[in-house]
Amino acid sequence: MKKKRHTLAHLLDGRHASVWVSVLAVLLTLLTAGVMLLLMGKNPLIAFRSFLQGCGMLPKANYGGGSGMLSDLSDFLNYMAPMLLASLAFIVGFKAGLFNIGIAGQMLISGFTATVFIGYSKLSALPARILVVVIGILVGGLTGALVGFLKYQFNIHEVVSTIMLNYIISYLTGFFINNHYVDMMTRTSRICSANARLTLTNVMIAGVKCKLPIGILIAVIMAFVVKFIFDKTVFGFELKAVGQNRKCAKYTGVHVGNRIILSMAFSGVLAGLAGVTYYLGYTNTIIPKTLVGMGYDSISVALLGNSSPIGSIFASIIVSIFQQGANYMSSMVNVAKEIASLITGILLLYASCGTYMKMRAHMVIQRDIDREEEEKK
Amino acid sequence: MDEYVVEMRHITKRFPGIVANDDVSISIRKGEVYALLGENGAGKSTLMSMLFGMYEPDKGEIIVNGKPVVFHSSNDAAACNIGMVHQHFKLVDNYTIAENIVLGMEPVKKKFGFLPWVDMREVNKEIQELSQKYHLEVNPTDKIEDVPVSVRQRVEILKMLYRKAEIMIFDEPTAVLTPQEIEYLLEIIDGLRKDGKTVILITHKIEEIKKIADRCAILLRGKLVDILDVKTASVQEMANMMVGREVDFNPYKSPANFGKTILEVDHLTVKNENNFEVVKDVSFSIREGEIFAIAGVSGNGQTEIADAVAGMMKAASGTITLDGKDVTGASIRERAEAGISYIPEDRQGTGVVMDFTLQDNLALREYHKEPFSKKGILSFDKFRSYADELIEKYDIRSGQGRETIVRSMSGGNQQKAIVGREIEEHTPLIIFVQPTRGLDIGAIEMIHKQILKERDRGAAILLISLELDEIMDLADTIGVIYNGQLLQTAPADTMTSHDVGRYMMGVKDA
């Protein structure tokens, strides 16, 4: 036991400490959630297995006609694509010192615009899909740039302006949907055309129906693009400098206002892409006056991934498993599916204890070294 | 043994990559002023932070009033009547002085027998009495944000007295004070000693130790060098021990050799955010090979002149000409490229990005140019080799070399990094604002040598300093600023420090 504790400490103090902190956070979350499920009288192992089964990572006992494990997996990827993009949106702002909590609003406005202009048009598949992506980029980017502009020009804090914009966007799009685009049966917006949708539905793979998300490709590519920009480019270097010390960035000659606007625009572009992959991909309709919880979950994902783009790929897989697998888990062990959000919350709590964990590990190791030195004497 | 109030035995404390204290033992007598002398990063503050319970030692024991103690937090230390005035004050800006002093141990009364409340009127009276008793005059109802630094320091001292501290630790108390305020503080410390308090003074200024301290422990790179009786030790002896080698107090200055005019500031006026004229109609020029020093009491517009020349602040009127080219409207980067280097006053706030590595900070002037980046892509090979070159050349010491996060470096080494980065540009004009403030002798000596070297290379140098000695030592020409105006500009050898001092107080015809 003692030996093991020290292995853990070494992992948490070593070169890949931040990775191990996240792994430990996930394990602790599973432990906590397991105890909770036990207290409810449920078998946690069955619950965890059914989360994975719900996401197509383990086979279910039986499947409905035409569907299989691959269909569940494709559903999972459909959910994960906007989640990853949204968390990247948060990371880009965060690195430049901006707290973009308007991701949900930026997703909604771009998803709405794309639905209205392309989703309801009769364009054929290729131009329609390209235009949906372009609209996502443009609308999201402009909304983000507006927030950056308000901050630079009028010194309005981005948290305030993004919260306000969330409401404005939610009610404005809700008004238009209810008055012009509502489906009288479902009370949501009319569904967008299959041609415009970034998810290919009813694709037969290995004999089962799958929904192939184009968004997951975009998302993974964007993760590497973001990584490249922050690790390797002058632009990313300047964004980080602005994020950590605005005064010093100005002193070295960076045009700070310009960088604030650009970083918010970039964050908005990613949120816009998340929006179109969510509203014209994962779903094909918009619930009026409702912001998706994903806009906020993405913050947990970004923090669990240690604000690193590659880390957030793994983090979004984990959070998506809980969110997407919740339905099947709920039906299997009869626990309300809202437990998924609870687990995400616990995960965030542990993930944010990372610095503390690293510090403790460092102390344990230091004490060992002292003891060894003492023994040598 | 029980004549010692504090004993620290064989204390060792490590931080990642560095041993801050290595087997240090000191014993402090009751009622003495005990000084800890050492360069930045020598481990003085760390040692005292352990006595104040902010860190726990990795090894060794602390004995207070004859009893071994283990402090887990500064509350434990406070319970043993230990108090500390930190270098950076820990006060709530929008609370009054009295509120700050009682914060955490308010005298709570019960209204109607159950509603807890604090009788501020009584507290104010109590603070007033306390402040008069120790000659630490403050107005208890003033808000911290409205009072100057010297008063804030008094509040910190009162906080300790209110908490009945018997052992008082002062961490670099004079770094933020003007010469007159320093005199006053030393008198207060003397008064505390007469009152039977034990004072521990962390400093790197030997003159202060000479004036006030009884004994002095000298630390060098975490190790205890010696403990001296201040009365019998010489200044030179202490300086040598502190730096670990012979110190040269008077840098050799070669005869001046002026060239063409580099910087021409003509009728410059600068307004601050409140539209108040902080610099009024200032004109001066600096030639190649000339050190032009602006002397003045803090807050008279000197830093704004530097900011305006570097482009950090806009000129409301007037022109700034660099090497014959009007740069008044140019951006910060355009000016830097045209040939201005700038060592700013606020090194941690402006000069570096604290959470970047040393390597990234050293590249801040070059990263956007070849060979540091090509077509917007950074070239880290160049970052690394350049950092290693500067670390070697300017003796920048840190725990993990170029990969060190700048926040974890000592203030002196942060400043060496900034000075190195800026000087290495070898621009025609270099602006130094308070280049050696708060630094130890070794670092000051090194920076002064660098300034003189650049002057001899033919750079025009604008030196802004609050240290009169520094100005008298280095300047070729001195301009004295008072209330935003240059009162007098003259060659340095025509003025004595007495003359400069009088102009600094606003006396026009000395």
Side-chain angles (χ1 to χ4, degrees):
Chain A
M1 188 61 206
K2 203 171 178 192
K3 174 87 187 155
K4 190 162 182 206
R5 178 171 132 110
H6 291 200
T7 324
L8 183 63
H10 278 282
L11 288 177
L12 292 177
D13 195 48
R15 270 186 63 222
H16 302 290
S18 32
V19 175
W20 289 108
V21 165
S22 296
V23 170
L24 187 62
V26 172
L27 292 178
L28 286 172
T29 306
L30 290 179
L31 201 69
T32 315
V35 170
M36 274 174 12
L37 286 162
L38 272 179
L39 289 176
M40 286 187 270
K42 314 289 176 189
N43 184 342
L45 290 177
I46 293 179
F48 292 147
R49 198 183 64 197
S50 54
F51 272 119
L52 290 174
Q53 287 169 330
C55 296
M57 295 182 182
L58 287 175
K60 290 179 188 168
N62 47 52
Y63 287 96
S67 59
M69 219 172 105
L70 274 176
S71 355
D72 288 336
L73 186 64
S74 71
D75 278 344
F76 166 77
L77 291 176
N78 265 302
Y79 185 81
M80 183 191 144
M83 181 68 101
L84 176 54
L85 283 165
S87 71
L88 291 172
F90 183 78
I91 287 171
V92 167
F94 195 61
K95 291 232 181 200
L98 301 164
F99 209 84
N100 183 6
I101 55 170
I103 294 170
Q106 289 147 19
M107 284 171 71
L108 179 56
I109 186 79
S110 50
F112 172 78
T113 316
T115 303
V116 169
F117 286 102
I118 311 298
Y120 296 154
S121 74
K122 294 192 168 57
L123 284 171
S124 56
L126 188 65
R129 287 194 178 119
I130 291 173
L131 282 173
V132 163
V133 170
V134 168
I135 285 181
I137 289 173
L138 280 182
V139 174
L142 284 174
T143 318
L146 173 68
V147 174
F149 176 76
L150 290 174
K151 184 175 179 83
Y152 168 55
Q153 196 67 31
F154 303 109
N155 203 17
I156 300 173
H157 199 279
E158 71 277 2
V159 168
V160 176
S161 58
T162 47
I163 288 178
M164 291 304 164
L165 275 173
N166 275 353
Y167 282 112
I168 294 170
I169 290 167
S170 167
Y171 285 103
L172 201 67
T173 54
F175 168 82
F176 281 112
I177 291 169
N178 280 336
N179 281 294
H180 298 282
Y181 308 112
V182 76
D183 182 321
M184 294 315 280
M185 293 295 290
T186 59
R187 309 301 300 172
T188 68
S189 73
R190 297 201 310 272
I191 59 168
C192 69
S193 78
N195 276 350
R197 205 167 163 189
L198 295 178
T199 296
L200 312 177
T201 47
N202 297 331
V203 181
M204 297 300 285
I205 298 175
V208 291
K209 268 192 223 161
C210 291
K211 294 179 185 164
L212 277 190
I214 302 172
I216 193 74
L217 273 180
I218 302 177
V220 173
I221 291 170
M222 286 319 285
F224 283 95
V225 169
V226 171
K227 181 180 162 57
F228 178 78
I229 286 177
F230 278 108
D231 285 358
K232 297 276 189 278
T233 70
V234 170
F235 179 64
F237 188 75
E238 289 184 349
L239 286 194
K240 281 188 286 183
V242 169
Q244 301 199 8
N245 186 345
R246 213 158 278 172
K247 228 165 149 192
C248 180
K250 179 184 169 186
Y251 155 79
T252 55
V254 177
H255 193 307
V256 173
N258 172 296
R259 292 300 179 276
I260 285 177
I261 294 176
L262 281 180
S263 60
M264 270 314 291
F266 188 21
S267 176
V269 163
L270 293 162
L273 284 173
V276 290
T277 46
Y278 186 90
Y279 291 110
L280 294 93
Y282 177 65
T283 71
N284 54 0
T285 174
I286 302 172
I287 306 170
K289 297 185 198 168
T290 306
L291 293 165
V292 285
M294 188 181 275
Y296 302 102
D297 287 344
S298 65
I299 299 175
S300 329
V301 172
L303 294 181
L304 179 64
N306 195 34
S307 309
S308 117
I310 305 305
S312 69
I313 296 182
F314 296 100
S316 58
I317 290 175
I318 289 160
V319 174
S320 299
I321 286 174
F322 289 122
Q323 295 288 352
Q324 182 66 14
N327 271 327
Y328 184 70
M329 185 281 309
S330 173
S331 66
M332 285 303 284
V333 292
N334 197 21
V335 174
K337 66 176 181 180
E338 279 69 23
I339 200 173
S341 300
L342 187 62
I343 293 175
T344 314
I346 296 169
L347 193 54
L348 178 62
L349 212 59
Y350 282 121
S352 45
C353 295
T355 315
Y356 174 76
M357 294 186 201
K358 281 188 228 174
M359 194 195 78
R360 290 298 302 197
H362 187 77
M363 277 172 58
V364 168
I365 288 171
Q366 198 61 59
R367 234 167 257 159
D368 277 6
I369 294 172
D370 280 357
R371 203 172 302 134
E372 271 165 36
E373 268 182 15
E374 210 84 338
E375 276 162 17
K376 262 183 217 159
K377 275 181 195 166
Chain B
M1 282 303 270
D2 48 2
E3 62 173 317
Y4 295 120
V5 281
V6 173
E7 283 180 79
M8 299 182 81
R9 288 187 195 154
H10 306 293
I11 301 287
T12 296
K13 177 77 191 169
R14 290 192 192 81
F15 291 114
I18 201 156
V19 184
N21 288 137
D22 188 359
D23 196 20
V24 176
S25 300
I26 56 169
S27 317
I28 300 163
R29 293 194 190 101
K30 185 164 171 53
E32 73 173 337
V33 175
Y34 194 93
L36 283 177
L37 179 67
E39 293 190 280
N40 286 310
K44 306 167 300 224
S45 296
T46 310
L47 188 64
M48 283 305 111
S49 299
M50 284 185 280
L51 179 57
F52 192 53
M54 291 161 71
Y55 301 126
E56 289 179 42
D58 295 336
K59 267 193 279 178
E61 57 176 348
I62 301 173
I63 296 160
V64 178
N65 291 325
K67 281 189 233 67
V69 289
V70 178
F71 294 149
H72 297 292
S73 78
S74 37
N75 290 338
D76 297 348
C80 286
N81 295 331
I82 300 175
M84 184 165 181
V85 175
H86 299 272
Q87 198 171 356
H88 305 281
F89 302 146
K90 317 232 179 244
L91 298 168
V92 185
D93 275 355
N94 55 355
Y95 275 23
T96 67
I97 288 176
E99 283 165 350
N100 264 288
I101 292 172
V102 298
L103 189 63
M105 50 183 305
E106 305 85 354
V108 176
K109 293 183 179 177
K110 292 278 161 75
K111 200 159 207 163
F112 312 123
F114 69 100
L115 265 181
W117 72 301
V118 179
D119 184 354
M120 276 320 287
R121 217 178 296 163
E122 198 165 294
V123 169
N124 287 341
K125 220 177 106 209
E126 196 182 336
I127 301 297
Q128 189 87 54
E129 280 161 13
L130 190 69
S131 77
Q132 274 157 3
K133 184 178 163 200
Y134 288 96
H135 303 286
L136 289 156
E137 272 79 9
V138 294
N139 180 7
T141 52
D142 281 354
K143 281 190 178 171
I144 292 295
E145 59 196 0
D146 299 328
V147 300
V149 179
S150 57
V151 177
R152 292 180 197 196
Q153 190 172 50
R154 279 182 224 164
V155 177
E156 286 280 13
I157 301 172
L158 283 169
K159 238 162 84 178
M160 293 195 295
L161 292 169
Y162 185 80
R163 283 159 175 71
K164 310 259 183 297
E166 289 297 321
I167 302 157
M168 303 183 163
I169 308 165
F170 287 80
D171 189 359
E172 302 271 358
T174 57
V176 290
L177 302 181
T178 64
Q180 294 89 329
E181 289 168 341
I182 292 175
E183 283 299 317
Y184 191 67
L185 176 71
L186 295 182
E187 275 171 35
I188 288 170
I189 291 179
D190 193 39
L192 292 171
R193 169 169 53 192
K194 285 189 184 126
D195 212 53
K197 314 272 188 206
T198 308
V199 176
I200 304 170
L201 185 66
I202 303 175
T203 185
H204 55 250
K205 291 189 184 158
I206 297 172
E207 319 92 77
E208 289 164 12
I209 293 181
K210 260 312 214 191
K211 272 186 203 154
I212 191 78
D214 299 309
R215 289 194 303 149
C216 163
I218 299 171
L219 291 176
L220 176 65
R221 275 169 228 149
K223 288 202 172 88
L224 182 67
V225 183
D226 206 347
I227 298 171
L228 299 173
D229 198 334
V230 173
K231 275 194 200 73
T232 55
S234 78
V235 170
Q236 185 71 41
E237 192 186 346
M238 287 198 265
N240 292 350
M241 279 188 180
M242 163 175 155
V243 185
R245 62 183 161 78
E246 283 290 315
V247 181
D248 180 7
F249 274 123
N250 299 306
Y252 172 70
K253 197 172 148 197
S254 57
N257 183 18
F258 301 147
K260 63 178 168 132
T261 301
I262 294 293
L263 179 73
E264 179 101 55
V265 173
D266 195 30
H267 297 291
L268 175 73
T269 295
V270 181
K271 290 181 180 172
N272 68 5
E273 295 139 18
N274 305 326
N275 221 18
F276 179 78
E277 281 186 10
V278 279
V279 177
K280 295 168 197 159
D281 196 26
V282 164
S283 301
F284 63 92
S285 63
I286 312 178
R287 290 161 286 180
E288 284 176 334
E290 180 179 10
I291 297 179
F292 182 91
I294 298 181
V297 178
S298 170
N300 271 288
Q302 51 270 70
T303 50
E304 285 82 359
I305 292 181
D307 275 349
V309 171
M312 299 281 284
M313 284 179 95
K314 273 189 199 140
S317 65
T319 56
I320 298 162
T321 314
L322 183 72
D323 206 2
K325 219 178 98 201
D326 185 354
V327 295
T328 317
S331 72
I332 297 169
R333 180 153 290 167
E334 282 162 357
R335 292 185 210 213
E337 295 301 301
I340 300 179
S341 295
Y342 182 20
I343 289 93
E345 179 180 31
D346 182 1
R347 38 189 96 120
Q348 300 188 337
T350 310
V352 287
V353 182
M354 294 283 269
D355 290 314
F356 271 20
T357 57
L358 178 57
Q359 163 186 318
D360 287 355
N361 270 295
L362 288 173
L364 280 180
R365 280 295 301 267
E366 290 285 332
Y367 73 92
H368 55 97
K369 289 184 287 195
E370 284 195 38
F372 287 77
S373 61
K374 288 192 187 94
K375 297 199 174 91
I377 308 294
L378 299 169
S379 149
F380 286 105
D381 284 345
K382 186 63 199 171
F383 271 57
R384 281 190 279 270
S385 62
Y386 189 69
D388 286 340
E389 193 187 320
L390 261 58
I391 288 169
E392 168 83 32
K393 199 165 166 186
Y394 295 94
D395 187 30
I396 306 165
R397 291 181 211 154
S398 60
Q400 291 132 328
R402 59 175 188 240
E403 302 288 341
T404 315
I405 299 295
V406 167
R407 186 181 293 282
S408 69
M409 290 165 53
S410 70
N413 282 302
Q414 289 170 352
Q415 180 71 345
K416 281 194 217 162
I418 297 172
V419 169
R421 180 184 74 207
E422 296 299 311
I423 285 185
E424 203 56 25
E425 297 291 309
H426 298 304
T427 50
L429 174 68
I430 309 177
I431 307 169
F432 291 88
V433 183
Q434 292 271 59
T436 58
R437 172 172 151 180
L439 301 193
D440 53 71
I441 299 178
I444 292 175
E445 189 190 13
M446 181 256 174
I447 288 172
H448 281 178
K449 275 191 183 139
Q450 293 292 345
I451 294 176
L452 288 173
K453 206 169 135 200
E454 284 303 293
R455 162 193 180 256
D456 295 341
R457 172 181 68 80
I461 288 168
L462 174 58
L463 170 68
I464 292 173
S465 177
L466 300 180
E467 308 268 346
L468 199 49
D469 290 344
E470 181 167 75
I471 288 183
M472 299 312 291
D473 278 353
L474 297 175
D476 295 306
T477 313
I478 297 176
V480 188
I481 195 165
Y482 177 74
N483 207 6
Q485 286 171 306
L486 272 187
L487 278 192
Q488 172 76 328
T489 309
D493 45 20
T494 63
M495 285 205 268
T496 66
S497 60
H498 182 73
D499 298 338
V500 178
R502 287 193 53 172
Y503 285 119
M504 278 165 67
M505 305 313 282
V507 184
K508 270 206 178 163
D509 24 32

